């Protein structure tokens, strides 16, 4: 069965696993690494979060694991439930309880997560980006204090980026646009200006890249 994947933060109980009865011995960071190692074998993970059990409960931890694919989450649940995995006692793994009639908000992935998802399903050579323009929008002074005794101003650095994501194997191009802004304080010198300019340009490109990926849907066929 085919599954549609978008470049948005995974939402819905069918993509989220609840893992509990994790031993208290390892710390949360060690548990997070172990969980990621095990569950990433079933598919690309969006996040792994580890929490201590509630006060008064048996000492230990539980985890919330989000997949991009509901099919991968289901496979992981069936394979890992009641298994020891990386500890001496078995863990319990369940799909999170579905909330009836609950509408999950849709949030776009940031550019790093978009690239990670594209690389996983399309391959590192399966897509590319082409910057069409990276343009400075402003070069004006923004006054912060209009007092005649003491006044200061800062320069606005605002850049606009337009690009497209290209999928050559599918003859597909997806346009995206992004704007980023920062400010250069009056006392900052040429080096700070160069660093902030590069940072603002990079952020504009990242926003445009994320915007381009939002217009794409991937159809993942069953194994």
């Amino acid at each position: 069965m085919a599954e549609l994947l978008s470049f948005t933060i995974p939402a819905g109980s069918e993509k989220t696993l609840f893992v509990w009865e994790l031993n208290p011995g390892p710390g949360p960071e060690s548990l997070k690494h172990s969980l990621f190692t095990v569950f990433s074998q079933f598919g690309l993970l969006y996040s792994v979060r580890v929490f201590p059990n509630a006060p008064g409960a048996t000492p230990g931890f539980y985890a919330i694991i989000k997949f991009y694919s509901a099919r991968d989450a289901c496979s992981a649940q069936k394979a890992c439930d009641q298994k020891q995995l990386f500890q001496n006692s078995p863990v319990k793994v369940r799909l999170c309880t579905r909330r009836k009639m609950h509408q999950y908000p849709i949030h776009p992935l940031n550019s790093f997560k978009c690239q990670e998802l594209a690389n996983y399903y399309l391959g590192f050579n399966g897509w590319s980006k082409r910057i069409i323009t990276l343009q400075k929008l402003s070069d004006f002074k923004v006054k912060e204090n209009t007092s005649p005794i003491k006044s200061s101003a800062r320069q606005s650095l605002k850049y606009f980026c337009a690009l497209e994501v290209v999928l050559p194997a599918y003859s597909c191009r997806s346009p995206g646009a992004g704007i980023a802004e920062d400010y250069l304080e009056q006392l900052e010198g040429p080096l700070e200006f160069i660093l902030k300019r590069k940072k603002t340009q990079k952020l504009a490109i990242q926003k445009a890249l994320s915007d381009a990926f939002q217009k794409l849907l991937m159809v993942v066929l069953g194994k």
Side-chain angles (χ1 to χ4, degrees):
M1 182 181 294
E3 183 177 6
L4 282 177
L5 296 184
S6 62
F7 288 85
T8 55
I9 295 176
S13 56
E14 71 278 3
K15 298 181 180 181
T16 306
L17 296 183
F18 180 54
V19 184
W20 73 103
E21 295 197 357
L22 296 169
N23 290 341
E29 287 302 318
S30 177
L31 279 174
K32 181 177 179 180
H33 179 267
S34 298
L35 289 165
F36 182 89
T37 300
V38 170
F39 285 92
S40 61
Q41 298 176 47
F42 299 92
L44 184 63
L45 304 180
Y46 170 73
S47 65
V48 177
R49 295 185 295 166
V50 177
F51 306 92
N53 290 341
T58 303
F61 295 89
Y62 68 93
I64 304 293
I65 300 174
K66 280 191 175 185
F67 284 82
Y68 286 98
S69 163
R71 183 169 55 232
D72 292 344
C74 183
S75 298
Q77 189 276 324
K78 292 178 180 178
C80 297
D81 185 39
Q82 300 294 341
K83 299 295 193 302
Q84 291 183 345
L85 301 182
F86 48 81
Q87 60 183 35
N88 295 327
S89 58
V91 301
K92 293 182 179 179
V93 184
R94 296 287 189 275
L95 287 168
C96 286
T97 304
R98 182 185 298 274
R99 296 182 182 179
K100 295 182 179 179
M101 304 302 292
H102 181 77
Q103 295 294 325
Y104 292 95
I106 298 176
H107 299 292
L109 292 173
N110 61 37
S111 62
F112 174 79
K113 288 290 188 181
C114 286
Q115 293 175 80
E116 186 179 53
L117 186 60
N119 289 338
Y120 185 84
Y121 285 101
L122 301 174
F124 289 96
N125 297 320
W127 69 277
S128 63
K129 72 173 183 287
R130 185 178 75 88
I131 296 177
I132 299 170
T133 184
L134 181 59
Q135 181 178 353
K136 189 175 183 181
L137 294 182
S138 60
D139 190 14
F140 57 87
K141 303 289 185 177
V142 179
K143 291 186 177 180
E144 291 184 316
N145 190 338
T146 57
S147 169
I149 300 176
K150 181 180 179 181
S151 63
S152 62
R154 54 182 183 169
Q155 183 179 4
S156 171
L157 296 173
K158 182 183 289 187
Y159 282 88
F160 167 78
C161 177
L163 55 73
E164 61 181 9
V165 168
V166 183
L167 309 181
Y170 304 97
S171 301
C172 176
R173 296 174 181 269
S174 178
I179 294 176
E181 185 175 17
D182 201 349
Y183 297 94
L184 186 69
E185 303 299 332
Q186 190 176 32
L187 298 179
E188 292 181 312
L191 178 59
E192 288 79 6
F193 172 79
I194 293 173
L195 293 175
K196 283 195 173 182
R197 182 179 62 185
K198 288 184 177 180
K199 178 182 176 182
T200 308
Q201 290 174 339
K202 182 179 179 180
L203 183 57
I205 294 171
Q206 291 173 344
K207 288 184 175 182
L209 184 60
S210 176
D211 182 58
F213 274 116
Q214 302 314 305
K215 301 176 178 69
L216 296 173
L217 280 176
M218 293 187 293
V219 180
V220 181
L221 302 179
K223 299 178 182 178

